[in-house]
Amino acid sequence: MKCLIISIIICITSSFAAAQEYLYEIGAMGGGAFYMGDANKNAAFRNTNPAGGVIFRYNANFRIAFAADIAWAQVSGTTTGLENEFPNDAQATFSRNVFEIGGHGEFNFFPYSDKFQYLHTKRVSPFIAGGLGVAASPGEGSTMISPYLTLGTGVKYKIKNRFNLGAELFARKLFSDRLEGNDTLDGPYDIPSSPLKNKDWYVMLTISLTYDFGLRDCNCDKTELNKIL
């Protein structure tokens, strides 16, 4: 009788947990973006422009998540006022739209949830991320299409059941030096390059709001119950 009561309690608890936890998130993000390349070597947030997109996330567990995004960012830059000199005193100014699709994995420093306190979960957690994607910048000048590596960090906050607020800083390392769409800034010093050297970057700082969906299944396994009992 005692074993039966414990089994019922475990199943009810497991069902309640499943009813409160979700596998997926979907939402929107918005913020700013800035370019780093030949016309901006190290000045973070110089010429920051709008950026936004949509994000989908699969939460494998409290610590690990996998996300995909479709986003847009505007980047711009100018050689005017820079200390370094370009060959033949060349000058250039540009403004480009960048469209991207990518994916990345996330690691939460704390087990992320607003429930299951006995598992030491936290409704706020910083995270780090890394992944891959493809970016395209059409329009004025030459069209650029390039894969990219992405590295990022951020923080998540569970506002309430099903709603998450996030702040993320992600850097995109392109495999191209043609983000500017300007021949003046395409390898202006004729320095030999490699897929990872002398290429352009752009960085996005965004705020996201996501909605949880997709209930986790109840995992009331008799074998596990027998182990507990």
Side-chain angles (χ1 to χ4, degrees), residues 55-221:
I55 184 170
F56 172 84
R57 182 178 284 118
Y58 165 65
N59 296 298
N61 53 50
F62 292 144
R63 294 274 192 173
I64 303 296
F66 300 94
D69 72 84
I70 300 174
W72 159 84
Q74 186 181 51
V75 296
S76 63
T78 180
T79 59
T80 302
L82 295 183
E83 294 181 359
N84 57 303
E85 296 183 2
F86 290 85
N88 302 317
D89 198 28
Q91 299 293 319
T93 299
F94 72 93
S95 179
R96 303 268 280 177
N97 290 309
V98 182
F99 302 92
E100 67 169 46
I101 181 169
H104 61 265
E106 299 176 351
F107 175 77
N108 301 321
F109 285 97
F110 305 132
Y112 178 63
S113 176
D114 60 343
K115 302 172 182 68
F116 314 111
Q117 283 79 12
Y118 63 92
L119 295 176
H120 307 291
T121 56
K122 306 291 184 183
R123 67 188 306 155
V124 178
S125 179
F127 70 92
I128 55 174
L132 300 166
V134 177
S137 182
E140 184 179 351
S142 61
T143 295
M144 181 219 69
I145 299 176
S146 172
Y148 64 74
L149 296 173
T150 183
L151 294 173
T153 186
V155 61
K156 303 173 182 178
Y157 172 61
K158 183 76 72 172
I159 304 174
K160 58 182 297 185
N161 188 36
R162 292 202 182 216
F163 288 96
N164 307 273
L165 185 66
E168 302 96 11
L169 179 67
F170 276 82
R172 285 19 173 174
K173 169 68 172 179
L174 296 167
F175 288 80
S176 171
D177 192 34
R178 301 191 64 83
L179 176 58
E180 306 93 345
N182 189 302
D183 290 338
T184 300
L185 297 173
D186 180 15
Y189 302 106
D190 294 325
I191 298 174
S193 63
S194 67
L196 292 177
K197 183 181 178 182
N198 296 330
K199 304 303 180 184
D200 293 326
W201 296 68
Y202 64 98
V203 181
M204 296 175 63
L205 176 62
T206 58
I207 301 295
S208 65
L209 180 65
T210 61
Y211 176 79
D212 296 340
F213 68 100
L215 291 175
R216 294 185 183 275
D217 293 333
C218 172
N219 184 22
C220 189
D221 184 72

Side-chain angles (χ1 to χ4, degrees), residues 18-36:
Q20 299 299 317
E21 278 298 303
Y22 303 89
L23 286 169
Y24 311 109
E25 298 174 33
I26 191 167
M29 57 185 180
F34 62 92
Y35 146 91
M36 299 192 76

